[in-house]
Amino acid sequence: MSLPMLRIGLFGFGTVGQGVWKILQSQSQSLQNRTSREIQIEAIYVRDVGRYKIQYPELPFVNSPDAILNNPDIGVVVEVMGGENPAKELVIQSLRKGKRVVTANKELLGKHKSELFHEASLHHSDIYFEAAVGGGIPIIRSFKVGFSANSIQSFFGILNGTTNYILTKMSETEGQSLASVLSEAQSLGFAEADPTMDISGADVAYKLTILAAVAFKIDVGISDIHFEGIESIDSDDIAYARQFGYEIKLLAMGKQLDANSFVLKVHPTMVPIHHPLASVRDEFNAVFLTGDSVGEAMLYGKGAGSLPTASAVISDLIDIAFEGQGPGSARNLETNYRKVAVEKIEDQETRFYLRLNIQDIFGVLEKIAAVFGTNHISLANLIQKERDESTAQLVIVTHKVPEKNMQNAIVQLKQLVEVLSVQSVIRVGLD
Ligand SMILES: NC(=O)c1ccc[n+]([C@@H]2O[C@H](COP(=O)([O-])OP(=O)(O)OC[C@H]3O[C@@H](n4cnc5c(N)ncnc54)[C@H](OP(=O)(O)O)[C@@H]3O)[C@@H](O)[C@H]2O)c1
């Protein structure tokens, strides 16, 4: 028996929107065979209809969102315009009209998921967001369904293709600076013209709040999360990391300490070379997780791009097509995310890598060692390398130490006249 056609409205028709249209075109018959429903784009809202009509004269562009919001035949909207506004208002309006919402917008969900989920449940609708984290990797569905028998103990994610591409290229081309790899990445289309959200770690922090919700059923905002970007990573750090047996990756980490306490953070991390995440290269994404029943598992794939991201959007449309026209699916809609404590970064313990520029004079190492001693920091590795006649680079890897001890030590190191600069501080390992 054939079900009624699923009519969708698109907000936005850029990289992802066009990918959605392409897949719906190329897979139309197989999608229909699978779901017993035809999926059709009924209207596409863009700002400048004329511009899009030149390239796609046959498509149903509209120049007002009302043409989608007020069309009762449109049961599903796909928000692929990005940004906070007007996306937020359009999503809320759609939910209030009982339309299901599919979105790829991590910023919107990262900032407003509680409010949006609440609206969805009030109006017996639903929000689907497989494309918001990990692009084509079905990570949301994996946490919600595939691993649902598990209590998730931890996950570690490489969730930003741009920064992973940059770190990979810096590691492959000895000595190339972040700025030069970034401009190369921009010319190849792997990085945005304004890469601030990517480089600063904010993009990953938004994604981490979404993964924390589906993995741990908790409600955290970006302000609860300590995040750092890759701005200060230098080619020297990458070379030393390799020498010590690590690759530097920008990692999102989620760890359950007990029922009400979690570690959630984003920062560059030295990942042991033999760990599966160390081999995730270029623009690829991956999530490595540990569940109490499944043990360790890893999902890997393209975290961005037109068709990979559209593939995730379409998977949400297929879910909706299967569910028919009833109220929101109990499986997808979860509004009971708990507010919990996120452990402060100062209270965590980790190993550290430090790179200092120092005066190459007698007695300097004793003074530096005294700072570490005072702060109960013990050293695992130390390399001193002459830079010129009067200065040297000192590279140190510590044993596990409380963050606050290391922060104190850094302040004290900066006060030593013999320490010219603390160039890099990078956390080591996944514990
Ligand atoms: N690109 C990826 O690989 C990727 C991966 C994962 C998630 N995402 C997410 O997917 C969403 C879309 O990304 P994208 O790369 O497809 O963006 P994009 O290429 O910049 O396209 C955005 C589209 O939305 C339209 N739009 C933007 N603001 C609008 C407004 N105020 N009113 C009407 N139309 C507006 C744009 O129209 P104009 O042409 O008129 O500006 C364009 O058609 C974002 O939330 C992004 O974070 C993207």
Side-chain angles (χ1 to χ4, degrees):
M1 189 193 70
S2 196
L3 291 165
M5 183 188 282
L6 190 71
R7 297 174 196 275
I8 66 174
L10 252 60
F11 291 126
F13 198 66
T15 306
V16 181
Q18 291 176 33
V20 169
W21 174 72
K22 279 183 193 146
I23 297 180
L24 285 179
Q25 288 276 101
S26 65
Q27 299 298 318
S28 115
Q29 195 55 53
S30 84
L31 293 175
Q32 194 174 343
N33 293 346
R34 211 176 290 172
T35 62
S36 302
R37 297 183 79 169
E38 205 179 323
I39 303 177
Q40 180 171 297
I41 297 179
E42 195 76 4
I44 306 170
Y45 166 57
V46 286
R47 281 180 283 215
D48 183 352
V49 169
R51 185 160 66 82
Y52 284 92
K53 273 279 180 198
I54 295 169
Q55 205 183 340
Y56 298 98
E58 75 282 20
L59 293 193
F61 292 107
V62 295
N63 58 14
S64 161
D66 291 340
I68 292 175
L69 293 171
N70 295 332
N71 183 340
D73 292 336
I74 294 180
V76 182
V77 302
V78 176
E79 185 279 301
V80 279
M81 61 194 338
E84 191 175 359
N85 292 304
K88 181 183 174 200
E89 197 46 39
L90 295 178
V91 166
I92 288 177
Q93 290 301 326
S94 302
L95 292 170
R96 286 184 180 163
K97 287 179 181 283
K99 300 182 194 300
R100 309 282 178 83
V101 172
V102 176
T103 180
N105 194 332
K106 61 255 172 177
E107 182 181 359
L108 179 68
L109 289 172
K111 288 181 178 166
H112 303 292
K113 62 181 160 340
S114 308
E115 184 185 345
L116 298 178
F117 291 148
H118 182 61
E119 282 290 344
S121 91
L122 274 182
H123 300 281
H124 307 292
S125 191
D126 211 339
I127 304 178
Y128 297 73
F129 47 94
E130 186 60 71
V133 185
I137 312 172
I139 183 68
I140 302 295
R141 196 162 281 105
S142 296
F143 274 126
K144 281 189 170 181
V145 184
F147 298 121
S148 57
N150 289 262
S151 163
I152 301 296
Q153 293 157 343
S154 65
F155 64 81
F156 299 91
I158 294 174
L159 299 175
N160 183 276
T162 303
T163 46
N164 203 49
Y165 177 86
I166 291 170
L167 292 171
T168 305
K169 292 300 159 213
M170 285 175 78
S171 144
E172 282 171 354
T173 53
E174 230 169 79
Q176 210 178 345
S177 71
L178 191 147
S180 91
V181 178
L182 173 60
S183 81
E184 233 174 74
Q186 284 167 323
S187 63
L188 289 169
F190 289 131
E192 303 274 345
D194 177 4
T196 316
M197 281 258 289
D198 295 321
I199 303 290
S200 69
D203 172 83
V204 178
Y206 287 131
K207 291 169 178 168
L208 177 56
T209 68
I210 299 169
L211 280 194
V214 294
F216 299 133
K217 315 282 175 256
I218 59 174
D219 180 10
V220 290
I222 191 167
S223 58
D224 300 314
I225 288 176
H226 174 90
F227 70 92
E228 295 171 24
I230 63 163
E231 303 92 331
S232 62
I233 303 292
D234 185 280
S235 56
D236 281 355
D237 300 319
I238 299 214
Y240 282 119
R242 292 209 128 182
Q243 204 171 322
F244 291 126
Y246 298 97
E247 288 283 354
I248 299 177
K249 297 289 179 193
L250 181 61
L251 283 196
M253 306 185 202
K255 218 183 284 177
Q256 176 150 16
L257 300 174
D258 58 48
N260 292 310
S261 174
F262 294 82
V263 169
L264 295 167
K265 56 184 183 169
V266 176
H267 54 64
T269 306
M270 288 197 179
V271 177
I273 211 103
H274 52 77
H275 192 282
L277 285 171
S279 58
V280 177
R281 307 186 75 74
D282 298 319
E283 74 278 25
F284 281 86
N285 281 199
V287 176
F288 181 92
L289 61 98
T290 307
D292 60 349
S293 296
V294 73
E296 292 179 347
M298 185 160 112
L299 293 111
Y300 168 89
K302 287 205 171 146
S306 181
L307 294 180
T309 311
S311 141
V313 170
I314 304 279
S315 74
D316 284 341
L317 291 175
I318 292 172
D319 255 11
I320 295 170
F322 271 127
E323 282 156 12
Q325 301 283 28
S329 112
R331 184 176 89 184
N332 190 57
L333 185 65
E334 287 163 321
T335 52
N336 59 347
Y337 297 150
R338 293 175 301 132
K339 289 266 180 211
V340 291
V342 176
E343 193 182 64
K344 288 194 170 59
I345 190 94
E346 308 85 86
D347 297 332
Q348 294 171 23
E349 274 196 13
T350 188
R351 301 178 70 200
F352 282 91
Y353 155 100
L354 285 97
R355 184 164 56 85
L356 315 178
N357 284 335
I358 58 170
Q359 289 184 356
D360 198 1
I361 52 174
F362 182 75
V364 64
L365 283 186
E366 282 78 359
K367 288 196 176 172
I368 291 171
V371 169
F372 286 122
T374 313
N375 290 288
H376 308 288
I377 298 171
S378 73
L379 310 187
N381 255 312
L382 189 144
I383 298 175
Q384 182 172 345
K385 199 168 162 192
E386 191 179 6
R387 293 177 75 214
D388 53 41
E389 276 188 3
S390 58
T391 68
Q393 197 158 67
L394 189 66
V395 177
I396 293 160
V397 178
T398 72
H399 287 293
K400 245 182 169 185
V401 48
E403 282 262 353
K404 51 175 155 320
N405 294 31
M406 181 52 79
Q407 299 314 333
N408 285 339
I410 290 167
V411 170
Q412 289 163 22
L413 287 171
K414 285 180 176 170
Q415 286 164 353
L416 294 178
V417 286
E418 295 85 351
V419 174
L420 304 172
S421 60
V422 177
Q423 287 295 113
S424 307
V425 180
I426 303 174
R427 294 168 186 86
V428 179
L430 274 70
D431 45 16

